[in-house]
Amino acid sequence: MKNFLSNFLLGATSQQKKTKYPGPVIMISRECGCSAKRIAIKLSKILSGYSYHSETKTDVEWRWVSKEIIEEAAQELEMDPGRVKNVFLSEAKMNLHEVTTAFSTDKVYDAEDQQVIDTVRNVILRIAEVGNFIIVGRAAGSIARDISHKLSIKLQAPLDWRINRIMQISNMSKDEAQEYVLEIDRQRDLFVEHVNGQKMNNNDFDLIFNYATMQDDYIVDAIINIMKNKGIIINNENES
């Protein structure tokens, strides 16, 4: 299972025709406390039932990925995944960014760091172009914004709700849960800013859901219906 993404991308890229439209792909961004994983798992199962490859007469499986992107980039760079992740999340890098941006909007990286960033971006783009993937996080919504058959989604909720939810699913106190939520949000924002070159805003998303007021099934149903209406997946109900 560890190398499934490498093997899949290698095979899919070699078979992919130039005339094929990139995608389809779903990108899900989420605030800490909003379970994008549960949404991605449900979507992958339902969408696999809608996918049918007319050329090979076979069903096409939808998969979801998140940390596998870092692992794939690390494998291509022959680097430890922790080193790849550290490029985006290290306190030293953030402090350097704060100093340099006081004088310029340009970001400063050493050559190795820039290679890591470029590789992660390329992995995300390849996944999006191959299609039939749900990408959780990793600034994918902005990186793959030009993919025609795509849907970019954000899951958000009020801070107090997210803190309470983390308290419910863990043994953390309120102060610990708040510190955890804010730190995870900070790390994700920092990752996005490094990979994307800028922070993401609501204009980068096609759909935004309030996870505090929407059940998983409602969110999944809404996504499926919008994908049907946009022609990203075939509406089997309209077939004869």
Side-chain angles (χ1 to χ4, degrees):
M1 190 66 178
K2 182 178 180 180
N3 296 321
F4 95 87
L5 185 56
S6 296
N7 296 333
F8 183 87
L9 289 177
L10 181 62
T13 303
S14 63
Q15 296 175 13
Q16 191 175 36
K17 292 188 176 182
K18 293 182 180 179
T19 56
K20 178 183 181 295
Y21 288 108
V25 63
I26 298 174
M27 290 88 74
I28 305 178
S29 175
R30 76 287 192 213
E31 293 179 336
C32 180
C34 302
S35 184
K37 179 179 177 180
R38 293 206 319 237
I39 300 295
I41 291 173
K42 290 187 177 185
L43 278 173
S44 65
K45 292 179 179 178
I46 294 173
L47 288 173
S48 292
Y50 277 97
S51 297
Y52 184 77
H53 200 295
S54 60
E55 295 176 356
T56 61
K57 307 298 182 184
T58 56
D59 292 328
V60 178
E61 182 181 3
W62 278 72
R63 298 175 181 268
W64 73 277
V65 292
S66 183
K67 65 179 181 180
E68 291 85 357
I69 292 170
I70 297 297
E71 294 170 353
E72 172 65 15
Q75 182 172 317
E76 293 184 11
L77 292 165
E78 297 182 350
M79 185 181 292
D80 183 88
R83 170 70 184 91
V84 172
K85 195 172 183 179
N86 189 56
V87 168
F88 304 98
L89 303 183
S90 68
E91 288 293 337
K93 190 68 60 181
M94 184 181 71
N95 291 338
L96 175 63
H97 168 68
E98 290 174 347
V99 172
T100 57
T101 52
F103 305 96
S104 170
T105 57
D106 296 332
K107 296 183 174 53
V108 179
Y109 303 106
D110 59 40
E112 185 181 38
D113 286 356
Q114 189 61 56
Q115 185 181 18
V116 169
I117 292 168
D118 292 342
T119 301
V120 170
R121 287 179 58 87
N122 288 336
V123 169
I124 291 170
L125 281 173
R126 292 210 313 273
I127 293 170
E129 288 172 354
V130 167
N132 299 109
F133 271 98
I134 301 161
I135 306 176
V136 175
R138 313 306 173 189
S142 183
I143 292 171
R145 66 165 68 91
D146 294 329
I147 300 294
S148 55
H149 284 57
K150 61 88 178 176
L151 202 61
S152 182
I153 299 160
K154 182 178 182 181
L155 305 177
Q156 62 183 28
L159 178 60
D160 287 344
W161 184 91
R162 294 188 289 128
I163 291 171
N164 289 332
R165 186 166 191 270
I166 294 299
M167 291 173 61
Q168 291 173 6
I169 63 178
S170 70
N171 294 321
M172 295 183 186
S173 65
K174 184 173 183 178
D175 288 343
E176 291 172 334
Q178 178 172 324
E179 182 178 356
Y180 174 80
V181 167
L182 293 176
E183 175 60 17
I184 295 299
D185 282 347
R186 185 192 71 83
Q187 290 186 9
R188 289 174 178 170
D189 288 344
L190 192 58
F191 183 98
V192 168
E193 191 171 356
H194 282 320
V195 177
N196 189 43
Q198 61 184 9
K199 294 180 179 180
M200 294 181 70
N201 56 54
N202 287 347
N203 293 328
D204 292 306
F205 303 100
D206 300 308
L207 291 170
I208 300 176
F209 292 100
N210 184 346
Y211 200 79
T213 61
M214 296 284 286
Q215 296 181 19
D216 289 355
D217 288 343
Y218 297 163
I219 294 174
V220 171
D221 286 346
I223 293 171
I224 295 296
N225 285 327
I226 289 173
M227 292 180 74
K228 289 179 183 177
N229 292 333
K230 288 175 66 69
I232 298 175
I233 57 175
I234 297 174
N235 190 345
N236 294 323
E237 295 174 358
N238 293 333
E239 292 184 339
S240 57

